[in-house]
Amino acid sequence: MGSLGDTAVANGRSDSTGVSVTGSLSNTLVANSHADSTELSVNGVHSAVMHRSLHHEPLLAVSAKGHYLHLSNGQKVYDATGGAAVACLGGDNARVTKALVNQLTEGVSYCHSLFFATEAAEQLASHLIQSTNHKMARAFFTSSGSEAVEAALKMARQYHLEKNPPEPQRIHFIGRKQSYHGTTLGALGAGGHRARRAIYEPMLSDNSTFVSPCFAYRGKAWPEESDSAYVSRLEEEIEAEFQRVGPGKVAAFIAEPIVGAALGCVPSVAGYFEAVRRICNKHGALLILDEIMCGSGRVGPRPSARYPKPLHAWQDPSVGIVPDLMTMGKGLGGGFQPIAAMLANNRVVEVLSKGTGSFSHGQTYQAHPLACRAALEVQRIIQEDDLVSNVRAQGKLLGRLLQDKLSKHPHVGNIRGQGLFWGIEFVEDKETGSPFDPARNVAMEIHELGMQSPFNISLYPGTGTTDGVKGDHILIAPAYNIKAEDVHMIVETTASIINAFFGTARQGE
């Protein structure tokens, strides 16, 4: 049997979750194996790991240096998305490594949060609360974004039970279509991405419903509808959903300030979240902002008199409100350790402090000392090196170059984003905006082409852009410390990949 790359290329594509690239992972691993039953075999690629695809094994990443991943086949791939918008400092960092070693050798590697606190968790929480200008009051640390959303949903429920008078009937959550808040059953149930929900639908809570996203490219009545008219229409839709459910039954509204993987870096229209805040306040519901992908400096929020050194997406003037609960992840720890967080504002914490005095939720690895120490060092580096300013500067350049290079491409429908968080949406017909047939697997195949020589770059593919099933886009979300030459290279390479892909596609039609 040939190499994985040869097999995948011969097949023409991987499945919807696989990544097919040239190389020989099987030979590399078998050479290092001890021939036990858990190793890969040359005769039938077979791993003991439950990879994203059971049909194709991904190439082995052997090291990460700067913005590059070094693979087992000798390839050096530029990671233009930080994995899933995670590696905000790149693949390696001496300061973070030293901090982790110190935590292991001089601190504690693990202790149960039910019985003990650690300096790492205390300092990280203090740092994050200060970054919100003390609009948030307490931080709860988990190991993944899905877990952070679960915590936020539970906190919203407990808040309504403990306030005076209590409102136990508030068990309903309103989210947005084509949203994604995580993969656990609670988080998946609060998200509106049809394809990701599909097979688990019978298991999901029926206490969540969904309204339209704030997605100007596909949601506006072009060209006559103004931003303010569009916001008013969305506000009416949200109000109508509150009334349909029963305003006194809604626990919270949940949304991403800038939608990430599900829609491809879609910012809200100015005034939208102020409208959402008005409705939540009017009906006594909490507002949860999911910043797992777009937060921690990723979108380069602009400074203002209120937030001169902003970190969070909601601190950008275009959002203009303060959430009751927020979630963080990905860029929080930069991929050096698995960590995410749920932050609660003063109003929520005050209700609990006057009630039971505790959050009825906990996990074994909650506030893990190593994870907290890694995240603390990442956040200190972002602050001390003023990387959010670099995100704004390089993000502005990235957006301009993408528009210059690709906005007129016949299969590029829309380019949008903010900071170092940009999406490119592909369409079959530019005039009508009609998406490609999902069977064509456009976004994944563009990613796969980019992974091959001579491009050697990783772009993040996404689907369901149009309606949760149809629609293709890619994300570009590089590290915060990139330079202008990196931006130029990313755009030139991305444009070359897109031109090559659609040129080949047209020839084959």
Side-chain angles (χ1 to χ4, degrees):
M1 176 176 282
S3 70
L4 165 64
D6 294 337
T7 303
V9 171
N11 290 338
R13 63 173 55 147
S14 74
D15 68 12
S16 62
T17 57
V19 177
S20 58
V21 291
T22 56
S24 181
L25 173 60
S26 56
N27 291 339
T28 301
L29 290 191
V30 168
N32 295 331
S33 76
H34 300 291
D36 67 24
S37 61
T38 65
E39 298 294 344
L40 291 179
S41 168
V42 175
N43 296 318
V45 179
H46 182 71
S47 171
V49 176
M50 183 70 76
H51 289 296
R52 295 297 185 101
S53 170
L54 297 181
H55 300 143
H56 304 290
E57 307 296 346
L59 279 169
L60 182 68
V62 296
S63 66
K65 301 293 182 184
H67 307 307
Y68 288 89
L69 292 170
H70 296 260
L71 308 183
S72 60
N73 67 347
Q75 265 187 294
K76 188 172 79 167
V77 174
Y78 190 95
D79 189 356
T81 66
V86 173
C88 58
L89 301 182
D92 61 332
N93 186 279
R95 278 186 57 177
V96 178
T97 300
K98 183 179 179 181
L100 284 170
V101 170
N102 288 343
Q103 183 66 37
L104 277 170
T105 57
E106 300 175 13
V108 293
S109 60
Y110 170 77
C111 60
H112 200 307
S113 61
L114 178 63
F115 311 120
F116 306 102
T118 65
E119 194 67 27
E122 294 294 334
Q123 290 184 4
L124 177 59
S126 178
H127 184 98
L128 294 180
I129 297 307
Q130 288 179 32
S131 74
T132 70
N133 283 25
H134 294 274
K135 300 297 183 183
M136 300 292 120
R138 295 292 178 104
F140 181 89
F141 298 115
T142 66
S143 299
S144 72
S146 298
E147 294 168 347
V149 169
E150 294 275 343
L153 299 176
K154 284 187 171 184
M155 178 64 84
R157 167 65 174 162
Q158 189 173 344
Y159 166 81
H160 291 297
L161 286 175
E162 298 205 13
K163 66 187 183 183
N164 189 17
E167 296 184 276
Q169 75 279 6
R170 288 190 182 266
I171 58 173
H172 194 91
F173 293 87
I174 297 177
R176 304 191 297 182
K177 298 171 185 175
Q178 293 128 286
S179 60
Y180 179 64
H181 300 295
T183 193
T184 52
L185 290 178
L188 192 63
H193 196 284
R194 289 169 55 200
R196 297 184 186 190
R197 291 173 57 98
I199 66 171
Y200 303 108
E201 199 75 48
M203 301 169 64
L204 301 180
S205 168
D206 59 3
N207 291 328
S208 292
T209 52
F210 307 97
V211 295
S212 299
C214 186
F215 186 6
Y217 172 61
R218 293 203 172 272
K220 265 189 169 185
W222 293 97
E224 63 275 7
E225 190 170 37
S226 66
D227 284 355
S228 59
Y230 180 45
V231 168
S232 294
R233 183 159 57 84
L234 292 175
E235 184 174 8
E236 290 174 3
E237 181 184 351
I238 298 169
E239 174 66 28
E241 183 61 16
F242 267 79
Q243 295 298 332
R244 189 193 70 79
V245 170
K249 295 180 180 179
V250 179
F253 185 95
I254 181 169
E256 303 148 280
I258 296 184
V259 185
L263 282 184
C265 306
V266 173
S268 61
V269 172
Y272 171 77
F273 277 104
E274 292 173 301
V276 171
R277 178 82 270 181
R278 282 195 300 271
I279 294 173
C280 288
N281 289 348
K282 175 183 176 182
H283 299 300
L286 296 183
L287 175 56
I288 303 170
L289 290 187
D290 177 354
E291 294 206 2
I292 289 165
M293 199 173 211
C294 67
S296 304
R298 167 61 61 189
V299 300
R302 295 167 295 168
S304 63
R306 181 177 296 179
Y307 305 114
K309 291 188 176 181
L311 178 72
H312 311 286
W314 59 263
Q315 292 174 320
D316 189 274
S318 66
V319 178
I321 54 93
V322 177
D324 297 299
L325 300 169
M326 64 174 289
T327 57
M328 304 175 67
K330 300 188 184 293
L332 173 60
F336 295 102
Q337 287 282 293
I339 187 169
M342 183 273 293
L343 275 62
N345 73 5
N346 291 280
R347 176 164 66 118
V348 172
V349 172
E350 183 179 5
V351 164
L352 262 66
S353 67
K354 291 179 178 178
T356 61
S358 65
F359 180 26
S360 184
H361 180 57
Q363 294 174 286
T364 300
Y365 291 111
Q366 175 186 329
H368 190 276
L370 277 173
C372 288
R373 186 64 188 89
L376 176 63
E377 200 63 28
V378 168
Q379 294 306 306
R380 284 174 172 171
I381 291 168
I382 291 172
Q383 183 182 70
E384 293 167 14
D385 293 353
D386 196 19
L387 291 184
V388 178
S389 292
N390 192 59
V391 170
R392 282 194 295 272
Q394 303 306 335
K396 185 177 181 180
L397 176 63
L398 177 58
R400 179 174 62 80
L401 293 178
L402 287 173
Q403 294 287 354
D404 289 347
K405 282 284 183 181
L406 289 167
S407 63
K408 295 181 180 179
H409 192 284
H411 292 298
V412 172
N414 188 236
I415 300 167
R416 66 279 184 138
Q418 185 178 318
L420 291 176
F421 199 48
W422 285 84
I424 303 171
E425 181 174 347
F426 304 107
V427 293
E428 187 166 30
D429 187 301
K430 195 178 183 81
E431 184 173 342
T432 64
S434 58
F436 286 97
D437 185 331
R440 294 189 62 178
N441 216 21
V442 168
M444 181 58 76
E445 290 200 0
I446 287 174
H447 162 80
E448 291 177 354
L449 179 61
M451 285 286 287
Q452 298 177 31
S453 294
F455 306 114
N456 299 308
I457 193 170
S458 179
L459 304 170
Y460 193 101
T463 58
T465 328
T466 305
D467 60 5
V469 176
K470 295 180 180 179
D472 295 272
H473 62 264
I474 57 171
L475 271 62
I476 298 173
Y480 299 177
N481 51 7
I482 61 168
K483 299 178 180 179
E485 51 263 38
D486 296 296
V487 175
H488 281 274
M489 183 278 291
I490 290 170
V491 174
E492 289 290 338
T493 306
T494 301
S496 296
I497 294 165
I498 291 170
N499 289 330
F501 176 81
F502 286 111
T504 303
R506 283 196 296 274
Q507 291 172 16
E509 290 174 351

